Amino acid sequence: MNYQPIIDEIYEELLPSLNEGNVANYIPELANINPLQFGISIYDINGNSYNAGTTDKTFSMQSISKLFTCTMALREVGDEIWGRVGLESSGHAFNSIIQLEQEFGVPRNPFINAGAIVITDILQEVFKNPEMDILEFIEDISLNENIAFNIDMATSEESCGHRNSALSYLMKDLGNLNGDVNSVLKLYYKHCSLAMTCEDLAKSTYYLINKGVGVRGTRILKERNVKRLNSLMMTSGLYNNSGDFAYRVGLPAKSGVGGGIVAVLPGEFTIAVWSPNLNKAGSSMAGIKAMELFTTRTEKSIF
Amino acid sequence: MNYQPIIDEIYEELLPSLNEGNVANYIPELANINPLQFGISIYDINGNSYNAGTTDKTFSMQSISKLFTCTMALREVGDEIWGRVGLESSGHAFNSIIQLEQEFGVPRNPFINAGAIVITDILQEVFKNPEMDILEFIEDISLNENIAFNIDMATSEESCGHRNSALSYLMKDLGNLNGDVNSVLKLYYKHCSLAMTCEDLAKSTYYLINKGVGVRGTRILKERNVKRLNSLMMTSGLYNNSGDFAYRVGLPAKSGVGGGIVAVLPGEFTIAVWSPNLNKAGSSMAGIKAMELFTTRTEKSIF
Amino acid sequence: MNYQPIIDEIYEELLPSLNEGNVANYIPELANINPLQFGISIYDINGNSYNAGTTDKTFSMQSISKLFTCTMALREVGDEIWGRVGLESSGHAFNSIIQLEQEFGVPRNPFINAGAIVITDILQEVFKNPEMDILEFIEDISLNENIAFNIDMATSEESCGHRNSALSYLMKDLGNLNGDVNSVLKLYYKHCSLAMTCEDLAKSTYYLINKGVGVRGTRILKERNVKRLNSLMMTSGLYNNSGDFAYRVGLPAKSGVGGGIVAVLPGEFTIAVWSPNLNKAGSSMAGIKAMELFTTRTEKSIF
Amino acid sequence: MNYQPIIDEIYEELLPSLNEGNVANYIPELANINPLQFGISIYDINGNSYNAGTTDKTFSMQSISKLFTCTMALREVGDEIWGRVGLESSGHAFNSIIQLEQEFGVPRNPFINAGAIVITDILQEVFKNPEMDILEFIEDISLNENIAFNIDMATSEESCGHRNSALSYLMKDLGNLNGDVNSVLKLYYKHCSLAMTCEDLAKSTYYLINKGVGVRGTRILKERNVKRLNSLMMTSGLYNNSGDFAYRVGLPAKSGVGGGIVAVLPGEFTIAVWSPNLNKAGSSMAGIKAMELFTTRTEKSIF
């Protein structure tokens, strides 16, 4: 199927409303981005690329990076990670500390902040040079050898990340964080600052629609772990907005406050969108609209 | 695809472990059921039936009935119902009262008890004779004109339903229950007591895989509302066990403490299983195993 | 010490501000009361009475009655009651249901609604005719043989007491309510509707300042249980406003949404005030002010 | 009144049971203390001292120091501090993080850890050299010019204080902590490590029974703020064990996990006890027993 006309149409349609919503203003470096940008990339199971709008400009992955770090942890450590982080949706905002105390420091899933920090702790235990390994992994799955962290972004987030420090110290207190809090958080902010384009992002998630085999034809993840990640994205990929997104779009997805969203239809395509203005739940407004239009018009969703 | 050999095999395989888990003992009438029973029915998009085990014996729908009452409410009232009940997973046990107080009496979704009671309240407002209308609706979608309530079961549940009374009075206090509490709960226990077979159940959910059109060829629900129900089943159909089920089985589903589970793969098939012994989260142990084996062997799931 | 000039002065001083605050509007029968009324009565350890304002008109005891029912339960059953209701302040609003669920149906103290309902349940178990026994008890401790329930008030509260029904059914579910919910609540609303004057109220709490011996010279309560009640009034007598009251007034006290407050200084005096307009925490605004002025000017408080 | 015979008797009586309870084992430095020690000091309004047991050996003030820092903050800043910390009992354990999130970073009172950290933040804002000023203040009110911090203790606590870091970062995130988290916590652990004897402690709280005037005859605090502190000690001095203590002992008090408790009867006496073994709520077991015996035998309490 040729997706080009559909995404061109969606692009035209959304341009007038890109000013709706707000950029993430709690991270200084994100607050300065021109919000009137929009890109959409499709990468299908046969390796065809479809792009509309600004799809070759990098933006900050933010929480989308949690998908990649969770993939790395599953690959290296396997199912043991589920002893330290859960599989259920949280029913609370992404940075809630209440549930964490009530559930003895085990975060509900790897996509809320506390869960992603535990995953980062695991990566730091497993890898000698985790920053380098993360970059190499992303370069491998995205076919792009120039992926980089945005150091200013990472520093900017660290300077205002008191809530994440609180979550981390609480987990440290409850025995679910092995590394030094500051060093784990430094790595966490680094991988959140990953800069990628829509095209990169669409390609890099190819293994999620291809039973675990990536764009280079090598196995990235066991098939059963792909199923697990896709189901986690389905139930928890957009925080406590996941139910609404599941209904509107009907695809497993992961969003980030940088304005990106990536979604997948196993066996068919990946889709990445980027537009910086966010809804109240912290996901790209135009991004959600674009995906809703896309699945409605193509009649392609998991439901 | 001929599913018969696969479900025959699964049936044989599960027989030795039917004694694992426990029947729901908090409802006296359910506690007396012989737990060593198992049935599995598939109904495919072309109208073919595949059955193994005890698929012609009725059992109590319990929470599965919430799927049907929610369908009826959506059909009669439409999207207005979402002002009185939410769309997100709860992150709490099915009968938790805490979230209800914190969120001003609006239950998280129509599948937790509080949400289903609100839906029952809506049906009682809309229909003159809601009991009869529910029966007629089920008979219509299941091709079976002998569906009945189990009055003993309903009475049994009512006698021990103090928690549901607490939830209802709290919603009454917070302005989200219009009818008389006792009369709403009477209807609620009635529809939970619906007695259907695995075959009935598989047929009755046909509209969820057929874009809203039921077994008789008539429209049961708008296509977009089918998508909504399927996504709700995906994120919230097995209470706070939904994430685990999504990973293991990868299908939208709804379970009940009577030991039934129904799941759907849009465009392909519905699948209903029944076995009374439950896991700690209140879903059929053998039922979950059967579905996991089925989607693994057929490689058919939404992910 | 002659308290008459001081309370006369306070009465004059407060008259202009009686219109501040609001009457309890969630109970229909209370909403109709003329709010511009005020009375203050002192009863000292030697049996002298001092009165200013409207001290001979009855008003509804509401939560103040919890002090009397708790006294009766302690007298009849003794320390066993602390297995069913706690001794600590709740830190939550008087009708919160959250804590009750988290703490398995055992209310924090006998002065929050849930706790008082458990106490009522105990009285109903112990007495054959609890209504009559409550009236006789109050008549005994107040030297007034014409104490009565206000049936209209009780009916009015019952009609809107959904929250109390929710609390009761939750406790029933959690195994901490033995009687029939409706019948326990009927008795609860009855004793809340007790109609007494400021003078009655001041006299009736004499046993709390006289080591357990009441106005008629007979023992009402063991001395140690008087200490217990006084400390409970200190930490929990004004719900989650107790800390502020402790600082302003510095006396153990109990308030009710009927606008009454009673406070005691062991060995010295009891003080009862009534004025229907309430602050946000549900206690009489002019009542608190009057008590603050009284303890400041007499320099008599427990601190 | 000569209290010496009474406290001698209590000392003898308690010796055999000093092994009950446990020392605070979560702070390494406290875990090493010989638990079989006991001291009791009374200081009356006329300046007479009564001592029994080990009353001249220093122990760690821990949470008792919160009483002194709160006094200093009230003295320097006045009622403005109540905008940053509440006056009500918390109803939760001393280090709970849940309530803090729900109430937007404003701790319930200055005696729970979060509240005391805010008070420390205030002291650090107000004083150029807060450590020195704290020492000078304690030396002034205790008549002892050799008060010192226990640096090993402070370091020991800092090394395991992850929960306090979590509380602090959460307050930082919610805008209720102005200083640098690490530097505020360093000062907090310092003042918690204050080493004083029972005699020092009894003398140092003299201003709480003498309308704000201390042992040297100089005003330490306004009279109204003394009332405030005493009422806070009454409702919140022993964390969520305050209700039980209020009943048993009937005096405003403050305890610390070092095994000390200080209590006051305004106009009459202060009483300090020390014995390292703690009950589950973190207060000295023998200390509570000693105070209960003392107020029972002297019939002196506020109730």
Side-chain angles (χ1 to χ4, degrees):
Chain A
M1 184 169 181
N2 178 12
Y3 298 114
Q4 196 61 47
I6 295 173
I7 62 174
D8 285 342
E9 189 183 85
I10 290 172
Y11 172 63
E12 292 299 331
E13 215 165 312
L14 288 181
L15 273 185
S17 59
L18 294 184
N19 58 338
E20 292 170 18
N22 294 289
V23 298
N25 56 10
Y26 64 93
I27 302 174
E29 196 73 15
L30 278 176
N32 299 324
I33 284 170
N34 169 17
L36 303 179
Q37 304 186 77
F38 177 84
I40 181 166
S41 291
I42 311 277
Y43 194 74
D44 77 10
I45 190 74
N46 302 313
N48 301 309
S49 252
Y50 306 92
N51 300 286
T54 309
T55 59
D56 57 355
K57 190 169 168 184
T58 64
F59 60 94
S60 186
M61 288 298 102
Q62 295 298 321
S63 291
I64 299 174
S65 69
K66 298 171 182 174
L67 180 60
F68 301 131
T69 51
C70 188
T71 299
M72 290 177 77
L74 265 175
R75 203 159 107 121
E76 296 297 324
V77 180
D79 282 341
E80 276 177 50
I81 71 168
W82 307 119
R84 292 185 56 191
V85 63
L87 282 159
E88 298 296 330
S89 62
S90 80
H92 287 81
F94 66 93
N95 56 6
S96 171
I97 209 163
I98 290 177
Q99 204 166 49
L100 198 55
E101 177 170 51
Q102 287 173 334
E103 301 183 358
F104 311 106
V106 177
R108 273 289 172 97
N109 65 62
F111 292 162
I112 53 174
N113 287 18
I117 291 167
V118 166
I119 295 290
T120 306
D121 185 43
I122 291 172
L123 294 186
Q124 206 175 45
E125 289 182 285
V126 168
F127 292 110
K128 281 205 181 147
N129 190 342
E131 283 189 32
M132 194 54 69
D133 288 295
I134 291 172
L135 279 188
E136 278 175 10
F137 175 74
I138 304 291
E139 288 174 1
D140 181 45
I141 62 174
S142 69
L143 278 178
N144 178 348
E145 291 176 15
N146 296 302
I147 301 291
F149 299 121
N150 179 337
I151 307 299
D152 288 347
M153 182 68 74
T155 309
S156 178
E157 281 200 66
E158 203 178 340
S159 72
C160 64
H162 307 306
R163 173 67 64 129
N164 288 329
S165 296
L167 293 166
S168 302
Y169 277 107
L170 183 59
M171 293 193 289
K172 186 85 184 167
D173 180 62
L174 294 167
N176 197 19
L177 206 84
N178 298 326
D180 168 73
V181 168
N182 286 331
S183 121
V184 170
L185 284 176
K186 212 173 265 298
L187 180 58
Y188 173 78
Y189 292 124
K190 272 276 171 57
H191 74 64
C192 283
S193 83
L194 267 171
M196 298 170 71
T197 68
C198 273
E199 274 200 79
D200 293 335
L201 186 53
K203 280 181 192 160
S204 68
T205 48
Y206 185 76
Y207 66 99
L208 293 172
I209 66 165
N210 193 33
K211 303 187 176 184
V213 176
V215 276
R216 295 183 198 267
T218 54
R219 175 155 300 279
I220 305 302
L221 210 53
K222 286 182 191 160
E223 191 171 347
R224 56 190 293 273
N225 280 330
V226 167
K227 196 171 168 184
R228 179 149 276 184
L229 277 183
N230 282 341
S231 67
L232 265 173
M233 287 164 81
M234 196 71 221
T235 55
S236 313
L238 274 83
Y239 312 115
N240 51 348
N241 208 210
S242 298
D244 189 58
F245 185 86
Y247 157 65
R248 287 176 187 276
V249 179
L251 294 178
K254 186 76 207 77
S255 68
V257 292
I261 310 177
V262 65
V264 300
L265 185 56
E268 304 231 3
F269 59 78
T270 70
I271 175 170
V273 291
W274 171 54
S275 191
N277 274 331
L278 310 179
N279 66 13
K280 284 183 184 170
S283 298
S284 171
M285 281 198 82
I288 292 178
K289 273 191 204 164
M291 290 206 172
E292 188 175 3
L293 290 171
F294 183 81
T295 57
T296 305
R297 291 184 189 168
T298 58
E299 293 196 356
K300 298 218 170 193
S301 86
I302 61 172
F303 297 127
Chain B
M1 184 169 183
N2 177 13
Y3 296 114
Q4 196 60 49
I6 296 173
I7 60 173
D8 285 341
E9 189 182 85
I10 290 172
Y11 172 63
E12 291 298 330
E13 216 166 312
L14 288 181
L15 273 184
S17 58
L18 294 184
N19 58 336
E20 291 171 19
N22 294 289
V23 297
N25 55 11
Y26 64 93
I27 302 174
E29 195 74 14
L30 277 176
N32 299 325
I33 284 171
N34 169 17
L36 303 179
Q37 304 186 76
F38 177 84
I40 180 165
S41 291
I42 311 278
Y43 194 74
D44 77 10
I45 191 74
N46 302 313
N48 302 308
S49 252
Y50 306 91
N51 299 286
T54 310
T55 59
D56 56 354
K57 188 168 168 184
T58 64
F59 60 94
S60 185
M61 287 298 102
Q62 295 297 321
S63 290
I64 299 174
S65 69
K66 298 171 181 175
L67 181 60
F68 300 131
T69 51
C70 187
T71 299
M72 290 178 77
L74 266 174
R75 203 159 107 122
E76 297 296 324
V77 180
D79 282 341
E80 276 176 49
I81 71 167
W82 307 118
R84 292 185 57 191
V85 63
L87 281 160
E88 297 296 330
S89 62
S90 81
H92 287 80
F94 66 94
N95 56 6
S96 172
I97 209 162
I98 291 177
Q99 205 166 49
L100 197 56
E101 177 170 51
Q102 286 174 334
E103 300 184 356
F104 311 106
V106 178
R108 274 287 173 99
N109 64 62
F111 293 162
I112 53 174
N113 287 19
I117 290 167
V118 165
I119 295 291
T120 306
D121 184 43
I122 291 172
L123 294 187
Q124 206 175 45
E125 289 182 285
V126 169
F127 292 109
K128 281 206 182 148
N129 190 343
E131 282 188 31
M132 195 54 69
D133 288 296
I134 290 172
L135 279 188
E136 278 174 12
F137 176 73
I138 304 291
E139 288 173 0
D140 181 46
I141 61 175
S142 68
L143 278 178
N144 178 348
E145 290 177 15
N146 295 303
I147 302 289
F149 299 120
N150 179 337
I151 307 299
D152 288 346
M153 181 70 73
T155 309
S156 178
E157 281 200 67
E158 204 178 341
S159 72
C160 63
H162 307 305
R163 173 67 64 127
N164 288 328
S165 297
L167 293 167
S168 302
Y169 277 107
L170 183 58
M171 292 193 289
K172 186 84 185 168
D173 180 62
L174 294 166
N176 198 19
L177 205 83
N178 299 327
D180 169 71
V181 168
N182 286 331
S183 120
V184 170
L185 283 176
K186 212 172 266 296
L187 180 58
Y188 173 78
Y189 292 123
K190 272 275 170 58
H191 74 65
C192 283
S193 82
L194 267 169
M196 298 170 70
T197 68
C198 273
E199 274 200 80
D200 292 336
L201 186 53
K203 280 182 194 160
S204 68
T205 48
Y206 185 77
Y207 66 98
L208 293 173
I209 65 164
N210 193 33
K211 301 186 177 187
V213 176
V215 275
R216 296 184 198 267
T218 55
R219 175 155 299 280
I220 306 301
L221 209 55
K222 286 183 191 160
E223 190 171 347
R224 57 190 292 272
N225 280 330
V226 166
K227 196 171 168 183
R228 180 149 276 182
L229 277 183
N230 283 340
S231 68
L232 265 173
M233 288 164 80
M234 196 71 221
T235 55
S236 313
L238 274 84
Y239 312 116
N240 52 348
N241 209 209
S242 298
D244 189 58
F245 185 86
Y247 156 64
R248 287 177 187 275
V249 179
L251 294 178
K254 186 74 206 79
S255 68
V257 292
I261 310 177
V262 65
V264 300
L265 185 56
E268 306 231 3
F269 59 79
T270 71
I271 176 170
V273 292
W274 172 55
S275 190
N277 274 330
L278 309 179
N279 65 13
K280 284 183 185 169
S283 298
S284 171
M285 281 198 83
I288 292 178
K289 274 191 204 161
M291 291 206 172
E292 187 175 3
L293 290 171
F294 183 81
T295 57
T296 305
R297 291 184 189 169
T298 57
E299 293 195 357
K300 299 218 169 193
S301 87
I302 60 173
F303 297 126
Chain C
M1 184 169 181
N2 178 12
Y3 297 114
Q4 196 61 47
I6 296 173
I7 61 174
D8 284 341
E9 188 183 87
I10 290 172
Y11 172 63
E12 291 298 328
E13 216 166 312
L14 288 180
L15 273 185
S17 60
L18 294 184
N19 58 336
E20 292 171 18
N22 293 289
V23 297
N25 56 10
Y26 63 93
I27 303 174
E29 196 73 14
L30 278 176
N32 299 325
I33 284 171
N34 169 19
L36 304 179
Q37 304 185 77
F38 177 85
I40 180 166
S41 292
I42 311 277
Y43 195 74
D44 76 11
I45 190 74
N46 301 313
N48 302 308
S49 253
Y50 307 91
N51 299 286
T54 310
T55 58
D56 56 354
K57 189 169 167 184
T58 64
F59 60 94
S60 185
M61 287 298 103
Q62 295 298 321
S63 291
I64 298 173
S65 68
K66 297 170 182 175
L67 180 60
F68 300 131
T69 50
C70 188
T71 298
M72 290 178 77
L74 266 174
R75 204 159 105 123
E76 297 297 324
V77 180
D79 282 341
E80 276 176 48
I81 71 168
W82 307 118
R84 292 183 59 190
V85 62
L87 282 160
E88 297 295 329
S89 62
S90 82
H92 287 80
F94 66 93
N95 56 6
S96 172
I97 209 162
I98 291 177
Q99 205 167 48
L100 198 55
E101 177 170 50
Q102 288 173 332
E103 301 184 356
F104 312 106
V106 178
R108 274 289 173 98
N109 65 61
F111 293 162
I112 54 175
N113 287 17
I117 291 167
V118 165
I119 295 291
T120 306
D121 186 41
I122 290 172
L123 294 187
Q124 206 173 45
E125 291 183 283
V126 168
F127 291 110
K128 281 206 180 148
N129 189 343
E131 284 189 31
M132 194 54 67
D133 288 296
I134 291 172
L135 280 188
E136 279 175 10
F137 176 72
I138 305 291
E139 288 174 0
D140 181 46
I141 60 175
S142 68
L143 278 179
N144 177 347
E145 289 176 17
N146 295 301
I147 302 289
F149 298 121
N150 179 336
I151 307 299
D152 287 347
M153 181 69 73
T155 309
S156 178
E157 281 199 67
E158 203 178 342
S159 72
C160 64
H162 307 306
R163 173 66 65 127
N164 288 329
S165 296
L167 293 167
S168 302
Y169 277 107
L170 183 58
M171 291 193 290
K172 185 87 184 166
D173 181 61
L174 294 167
N176 198 18
L177 206 83
N178 298 327
D180 169 72
V181 168
N182 286 331
S183 120
V184 170
L185 284 176
K186 210 171 267 297
L187 179 59
Y188 172 77
Y189 292 123
K190 273 276 170 59
H191 74 64
C192 283
S193 82
L194 268 171
M196 297 169 71
T197 68
C198 273
E199 274 200 79
D200 292 334
L201 186 52
K203 280 182 195 161
S204 69
T205 49
Y206 185 76
Y207 66 99
L208 293 172
I209 64 165
N210 193 33
K211 303 189 175 184
V213 176
V215 274
R216 295 184 199 267
T218 55
R219 175 155 300 280
I220 305 301
L221 209 55
K222 286 182 190 159
E223 190 171 348
R224 57 191 292 271
N225 281 330
V226 167
K227 196 171 168 186
R228 180 150 275 182
L229 277 183
N230 282 340
S231 67
L232 266 171
M233 289 165 82
M234 196 71 221
T235 56
S236 312
L238 275 84
Y239 312 116
N240 52 348
N241 208 210
S242 298
D244 190 58
F245 185 86
Y247 155 65
R248 286 176 188 275
V249 178
L251 295 178
K254 186 74 206 80
S255 69
V257 292
I261 311 177
V262 65
V264 299
L265 184 57
E268 305 230 2
F269 58 78
T270 70
I271 175 169
V273 292
W274 172 54
S275 190
N277 274 330
L278 309 178
N279 66 12
K280 284 184 185 170
S283 297
S284 171
M285 281 197 82
I288 292 178
K289 273 191 204 162
M291 291 206 173
E292 188 175 2
L293 291 172
F294 183 82
T295 57
T296 305
R297 290 182 190 171
T298 57
E299 293 197 355
K300 298 218 170 192
S301 86
I302 60 172
F303 298 127
Chain D
M1 184 169 181
N2 178 14
Y3 297 114
Q4 196 61 46
I6 295 173
I7 61 174
D8 285 340
E9 189 183 86
I10 290 172
Y11 172 63
E12 292 298 330
E13 215 166 312
L14 288 180
L15 273 184
S17 59
L18 294 183
N19 58 336
E20 291 170 20
N22 294 289
V23 297
N25 55 10
Y26 64 93
I27 303 175
E29 195 73 15
L30 277 176
N32 299 324
I33 284 171
N34 168 18
L36 303 179
Q37 304 186 77
F38 177 84
I40 180 166
S41 292
I42 311 278
Y43 195 74
D44 77 10
I45 191 74
N46 301 314
N48 303 308
S49 252
Y50 306 91
N51 299 285
T54 311
T55 58
D56 55 355
K57 189 170 168 184
T58 65
F59 60 93
S60 186
M61 288 296 104
Q62 296 298 322
S63 291
I64 298 173
S65 68
K66 298 170 181 175
L67 180 60
F68 301 131
T69 51
C70 188
T71 298
M72 290 177 78
L74 266 174
R75 202 158 108 123
E76 297 297 323
V77 180
D79 282 341
E80 276 177 49
I81 72 168
W82 308 118
R84 292 183 59 190
V85 62
L87 282 160
E88 297 295 330
S89 62
S90 81
H92 287 79
F94 66 93
N95 56 5
S96 172
I97 210 162
I98 292 176
Q99 204 167 49
L100 197 55
E101 178 169 52
Q102 287 173 334
E103 301 184 356
F104 311 107
V106 178
R108 273 290 172 97
N109 65 61
F111 292 162
I112 54 175
N113 286 17
I117 291 167
V118 166
I119 295 291
T120 306
D121 185 43
I122 290 172
L123 294 187
Q124 206 174 46
E125 290 183 285
V126 168
F127 292 110
K128 281 206 180 150
N129 190 343
E131 283 189 32
M132 194 53 69
D133 288 295
I134 290 172
L135 280 188
E136 278 174 11
F137 175 73
I138 304 291
E139 288 172 1
D140 182 45
I141 61 174
S142 68
L143 278 178
N144 177 347
E145 290 178 15
N146 295 303
I147 302 290
F149 298 122
N150 178 338
I151 307 300
D152 288 346
M153 181 70 73
T155 308
S156 177
E157 281 200 66
E158 203 178 341
S159 72
C160 63
H162 307 307
R163 173 67 64 127
N164 287 329
S165 296
L167 293 167
S168 302
Y169 277 108
L170 184 58
M171 292 193 290
K172 185 85 185 168
D173 180 62
L174 294 166
N176 198 19
L177 205 83
N178 298 327
D180 169 71
V181 168
N182 285 331
S183 119
V184 170
L185 283 176
K186 212 172 263 299
L187 179 58
Y188 172 78
Y189 292 123
K190 272 275 171 60
H191 74 63
C192 282
S193 81
L194 267 171
M196 296 169 71
T197 67
C198 273
E199 274 200 79
D200 292 336
L201 186 53
K203 281 182 193 160
S204 69
T205 47
Y206 185 76
Y207 66 99
L208 293 172
I209 65 165
N210 193 33
K211 303 188 177 186
V213 176
V215 274
R216 295 181 199 268
T218 56
R219 174 155 300 280
I220 306 301
L221 209 54
K222 285 181 191 163
E223 191 172 347
R224 57 190 292 272
N225 281 330
V226 167
K227 196 172 168 184
R228 179 149 277 182
L229 277 183
N230 283 341
S231 68
L232 266 172
M233 288 164 81
M234 195 72 220
T235 55
S236 313
L238 274 83
Y239 311 117
N240 51 349
N241 208 211
S242 298
D244 189 58
F245 185 85
Y247 156 66
R248 286 176 188 274
V249 178
L251 295 178
K254 186 75 206 77
S255 68
V257 292
I261 310 177
V262 65
V264 300
L265 184 58
E268 305 231 3
F269 59 77
T270 70
I271 175 169
V273 291
W274 171 55
S275 190
N277 274 331
L278 309 178
N279 66 12
K280 284 183 184 171
S283 297
S284 171
M285 281 197 83
I288 292 178
K289 273 191 205 162
M291 290 205 172
E292 189 175 2
L293 290 172
F294 183 81
T295 57
T296 305
R297 291 183 188 170
T298 58
E299 292 196 358
K300 298 216 170 194
S301 87
I302 60 171
F303 298 127

